Amino acid sequence: MSGLLKSWVESANSAETQFPLNNLPYGVFSMYDEEPRCGVAIGDMILDVAYLEEEGVISIDDEPVLDLPFWNEVMETGPENWSALRARLTEILAEGGDDVLSSDSEMRARALLPMKDATLHLPLVVSEYTDFYAGMQHAKNMGAILRGSPDLPANWLHIPIGYNGRASSVVVSGTEIHRPLGQTKAPDADIPSFGPTKRLDIELEMGAIVGTTTALGQPVTVDQADAMIFGYVLLNDWSARDIQGWEYQPLGPFQGKAFGTTISPWIVTAEALEAFRKPTPPREKELLPYLTENKPGLYDISLQVDMQPEGAAKPTTICQTNYARMYYSAAQQLCHHAVCGCAMNAGDLLGSGTISGSNRDEYGSLMELSWAGKEPISLDTGETRTFIEDGDTLTLRGHARGDGFTIGFGECTGKILPAINFPPKT
Ligand SMILES: O=C(O)/C=C/C(=O)CC(=O)CC(=O)O
Ligand SMILES: [Ca+2]
Ligand SMILES: [Mg+2]
């Protein structure tokens, strides 16, 4: 694996940064009251690529595609242009590369902006959102907790199971989430009741962003699907377990997962992750040929979840695991999704499914960590938790570690606010 690519942006060479030249993730940012536009993270700075496109330093398409508050237009120019853009960015930011920026102090001051002063927005228009269930340990744990047996559903080893989620509920890191309201039924109650969820949870996931459109009726192979993936984000599929438990048979999750899904502000491109490819684990049953992979489809990305109660001086890490634990890759999921002829859009977001490792401290949800509330977890503050309480902040982090550099996604964080008073008092 190649080492750190050196940049003339000093902070991009520091051992601490998540954004070395090897990364170059894509986000949408605004400074003060300016319009949100496309930006690229480099060290502790954001490269204003909309400005550079206007100046003719970067050119992707006949029309400008970077002065927009989303990356979908870039996605739609196709994988060759994705590569060309990344190559151009590398060239102008590399030590000893094209000095168009490094030698022009005026342009440099306009183009490189301190990340700490920027507001980060949702980096794409999420056209559709699908969530999978492709983590084996998670599926076994949920079976054991909810159905009394860790046996996988009969289809699980043959199909990446998924459900269609709500694109409208996807928000960028930092967005506060109100505890959702809904209908639940206690096991010993005769009738359901309405109110705030008592079992608010997270799900630690990666999101794959589809960058290429397919026509209705057009199946894709796993290899084609792999090439269609523009990049990856961290994803927290907030879940209300009591609402979910009452509503989800037989059609699957509905309101229990439709009130907020948080993603990281930075899309790490598939190209940046290329050096970190990892194979899916050995098959427990042979897959049908259309789902078999010709190359490693996962990535070595270490993941963690931190929980910080209101007023606590610092967070407690409650889970550490790795994306390479998944049973199905995003390419397999996308192939399976499109194989019936389902049209895919640039900006389609695919949740990996909850990522749990085999040990207790590697479980990617509180449902598993507290075993449905029966075994509370301890925080460094001395408090315990079963599910999330009002004022708690949950943060997902992910890192791919190379030889002398680290690639990150920024944080994927959200604070839980009390439920909204409803119905409103008139
Ligand atoms: O097994 C169940 O009954 C429920 C499972 C989930 O809630 C998981 C889900 O949303 C899919 C995933 O993230 O793996
Ligand atoms: Ca999920
Ligand atoms: Mg959703």
Side-chain angles (χ1 to χ4, degrees), residues 129 163 165-170 237 257-261:
Y129 167 50
Y163 67 92
R166 292 287 301 170
S168 65
S169 65
V170 180
D237 180 20
K257 288 169 184 281
F259 59 91
T261 298

Side-chain angles (χ1 to χ4, degrees), residues 83-353:
S83 288
L85 171 60
R86 182 169 165 82
R88 181 64 181 143
L89 291 168
T90 304
E91 190 175 50
I92 60 178
L93 290 169
E95 200 176 73
D98 183 335
D99 66 357
V100 59
L101 256 191
S102 55
S103 66
D104 183 336
S105 59
E106 205 176 308
M107 185 182 272
R108 203 166 62 230
R110 282 281 314 266
L112 270 181
L113 306 166
M115 196 184 291
K116 65 174 175 38
D117 297 336
T119 303
L120 298 177
H121 305 265
L122 203 60
L124 74 161
V125 175
V126 179
S127 50
E128 311 227 24
Y129 167 50
T130 308
D131 190 31
F132 287 88
Y133 186 43
M136 186 184 288
Q137 186 66 48
H138 173 70
K140 288 182 172 175
N141 288 344
M142 293 304 265
I145 292 167
L146 297 169
R147 294 174 283 278
S149 161
D151 291 351
L152 295 166
N155 53 4
W156 202 94
L157 292 170
H158 303 281
I159 291 176
I161 305 177
Y163 67 92
N164 290 304
R166 292 287 301 170
S168 65
S169 65
V170 180
V171 295
V172 73
S173 175
T175 306
E176 296 176 325
I177 307 277
H178 282 277
R179 178 175 296 274
L181 299 165
Q183 195 180 123
T184 59
K185 194 181 89 60
D188 52 357
D190 291 334
I191 55 163
S193 55
F194 178 81
T197 176
K198 296 189 181 74
R199 293 190 153 209
L200 184 54
D201 201 354
I202 52 150
E203 285 186 337
L204 167 60
E205 305 193 30
M206 295 292 302
I209 293 164
V210 178
T212 311
T213 298
T214 61
L216 185 70
Q218 179 62 58
V220 299
T221 65
V222 175
D223 283 342
Q224 286 170 331
D226 188 73
M228 285 170 64
I229 296 169
F230 182 69
Y232 290 81
V233 289
L234 301 170
L235 184 149
N236 179 1
D237 180 20
W238 301 95
S239 298
R241 299 299 178 190
D242 43 3
I243 297 173
Q244 180 186 354
W246 170 233
E247 75 182 357
Y248 85 130
Q249 312 262 12
L251 290 187
F254 189 41
Q255 304 297 82
K257 288 169 184 281
F259 59 91
T261 298
T262 303
I263 64 170
S264 59
W266 296 106
I267 303 170
V268 176
T269 62
E271 238 180 299
L273 290 170
E274 191 58 34
F276 301 95
R277 278 190 184 268
K278 274 257 185 155
T280 47
R283 300 296 88 181
E284 299 202 358
K285 286 210 171 121
E286 202 178 329
L287 289 173
L288 292 173
Y290 82 98
L291 276 176
T292 56
E293 285 193 308
N294 296 318
K295 61 175 169 181
L298 294 174
Y299 300 95
D300 181 3
I301 300 170
S302 56
L303 298 165
Q304 77 178 60
V305 180
D306 293 344
M307 182 180 230
Q308 186 163 14
E310 182 104 78
K314 59 183 183 56
T316 303
T317 299
I318 58 171
C319 159
Q320 283 182 291
T321 183
N322 194 294
Y323 178 52
R325 300 288 192 138
M326 299 313 281
Y327 192 77
Y328 295 103
S329 67
Q332 288 173 311
Q333 292 171 332
L334 177 53
C335 163
H336 183 68
H337 208 325
V339 86
C340 68
C342 177
M344 304 305 300
N345 294 307
D348 240 307
L349 176 65
L350 308 183
S352 59

Side-chain angles (χ1 to χ4, degrees), residues 297-424:
L298 294 174
Y299 300 95
D300 181 3
I301 300 170
S302 56
L303 298 165
Q304 77 178 60
V305 180
D306 293 344
M307 182 180 230
Q308 186 163 14
E310 182 104 78
K314 59 183 183 56
T316 303
T317 299
I318 58 171
C319 159
Q320 283 182 291
T321 183
N322 194 294
Y323 178 52
R325 300 288 192 138
M326 299 313 281
Y327 192 77
Y328 295 103
S329 67
Q332 288 173 311
Q333 292 171 332
L334 177 53
C335 163
H336 183 68
H337 208 325
V339 86
C340 68
C342 177
M344 304 305 300
N345 294 307
D348 240 307
L349 176 65
L350 308 183
S352 59
T354 310
I355 307 166
S356 292
S358 42
N359 297 320
R360 192 60 177 258
D361 57 358
E362 297 173 331
Y363 293 172
S365 68
L366 285 161
M367 187 73 165
E368 297 163 87
L369 289 165
S370 75
W371 213 252
K374 290 202 215 43
E375 297 167 25
I377 58 166
S378 299
L379 304 182
D380 295 346
T381 55
E383 293 164 86
T384 61
R385 281 290 182 281
T386 51
F387 293 95
I388 301 169
E389 295 188 7
D390 291 348
D392 289 350
T393 297
L394 278 298
T395 305
L396 278 46
R397 299 173 208 279
H399 298 103
R401 291 181 214 285
D403 181 10
F405 69 96
T406 298
I407 280 178
F409 299 78
E411 48 181 39
C412 176
T413 192
K415 179 178 174 179
I416 295 298
L417 303 181
I420 286 174
N421 279 319
F422 181 86

